[in-house]
Amino acid sequence: MQKRVIQDYILPSFLFLASLLVRLRPFETLNDSAHRKTDRLRFWTRQYNVDTDNSNMSSEFMRRAIALALENVRSGGGGPFASIVVKEQRIVAEGTNRVTASNDPTAHAEIVAIREACRALGDFQLTGCDLYTTCEPCPMCLGAIYWARPSRIFYAATAVDAAAAGFDDDFIYHELKLVPAARRIPMTQLLRDESLAIFSAWQKQEGKKPY
């Protein structure tokens, strides 16, 4: 009898309350108390020396990035883009678009800045860093940024602004929605079974450094 009461009444009630709490959690987060928000802000400020005046902090470094991009255009160094990596209120690395100057189609400003920052920090991740870029990142740069894992991204111009200046990457997002064989540059799969040996070797490799 006791087991049946648990199964028929107590357990369903518990599951209902649990599901209700899960649904309410986002609402609670959005309406968090000012006291909790203040405590969190103090924690992050203490841990990472964050300037609580985000507008001033963002503007200072963004203006530097904009100045770099303008200099890059006027000097003929490459495209009208620049990026800066900042950690603990100090510039760790700077990068400008070097595609034509280095004959490297991957040398976008964000990629250049990420490479330089990782070298300077001796790490393959930008933990605790902010990335400032003069324009909303393209798909390639956005992927690199996510792999680098900075804390925040600040951007100035939008992808629409870039498209108006002749830098339209919207077609790449469209391409990603297509099956590989239907893309502008067709993709054909070969030797999948043989290639799986590579992942098998990686999984078995001792002392590897996951990323």
Side-chain angles (χ1 to χ4, degrees):
M1 180 67 179
Q2 185 178 7
K3 183 176 180 181
R4 184 174 179 181
V5 169
I6 293 174
Q7 291 178 337
D8 293 347
Y9 299 99
I10 297 177
L11 184 58
S13 298
F14 174 78
L15 292 174
F16 171 75
L17 287 173
S19 65
L20 185 61
L21 287 172
V22 169
R23 287 196 295 270
L24 287 176
R25 189 173 181 181
F27 177 81
E28 178 183 285
T29 301
L30 291 173
N31 295 275
D32 206 353
S33 68
H35 178 71
R36 288 183 181 178
K37 290 180 180 178
T38 301
D39 286 345
R40 287 201 301 270
L41 183 58
R42 286 173 180 166
F43 170 78
W44 289 112
T45 301
R46 184 170 62 253
Q47 291 293 315
Y48 297 104
N49 192 30
V50 174
D51 186 347
T52 56
D53 189 350
N54 285 336
S55 60
N56 291 337
M57 177 184 66
S58 303
S59 299
E60 175 187 351
F61 296 118
M62 188 62 77
R63 287 195 178 98
R64 171 60 183 166
I66 291 171
L68 285 172
L70 281 171
E71 181 184 348
N72 200 50
V73 171
R74 291 166 180 165
S75 66
F81 305 97
S83 183
I84 291 175
V85 176
V86 175
K87 185 170 186 178
E88 297 176 350
Q89 299 304 292
R90 293 189 300 273
I91 294 177
V92 176
E94 298 176 339
T96 56
N97 182 284
R98 307 294 296 169
V99 171
T100 55
S102 61
N103 293 320
D104 180 357
T106 70
H108 287 200
E110 295 92 334
I111 303 292
V112 174
I114 288 171
R115 288 171 179 167
E116 292 300 320
C118 288
R119 273 194 283 267
L121 296 172
D123 200 345
F124 57 84
Q125 292 185 357
L126 299 180
T127 305
C129 294
D130 291 333
L131 187 141
Y132 294 80
T133 180
T134 56
C135 187
E136 189 175 357
C138 75
M140 176 183 71
C141 292
L142 188 61
I145 290 168
Y146 270 87
W147 279 113
R149 299 181 178 92
S151 297
R152 298 178 297 182
I153 305 168
F154 297 96
Y155 66 95
T158 67
V160 175
D161 298 326
F167 298 92
D168 191 356
D169 54 27
D170 185 63
F171 77 95
I172 298 177
Y173 290 103
H174 175 70
E175 290 280 300
L176 291 173
K177 297 175 184 178
L178 302 176
V179 295
R183 292 171 183 166
R184 187 177 302 184
I185 302 177
M187 298 178 62
T188 304
Q189 188 175 30
L190 288 173
L191 304 179
R192 175 180 180 269
D193 290 341
E194 292 183 29
S195 72
L196 294 179
I198 305 168
F199 293 119
S200 178
W202 168 258
Q203 290 174 325
K204 295 174 183 176
Q205 180 72 21
E206 295 183 3
K208 61 179 176 284
K209 193 171 185 178
Y211 64 95

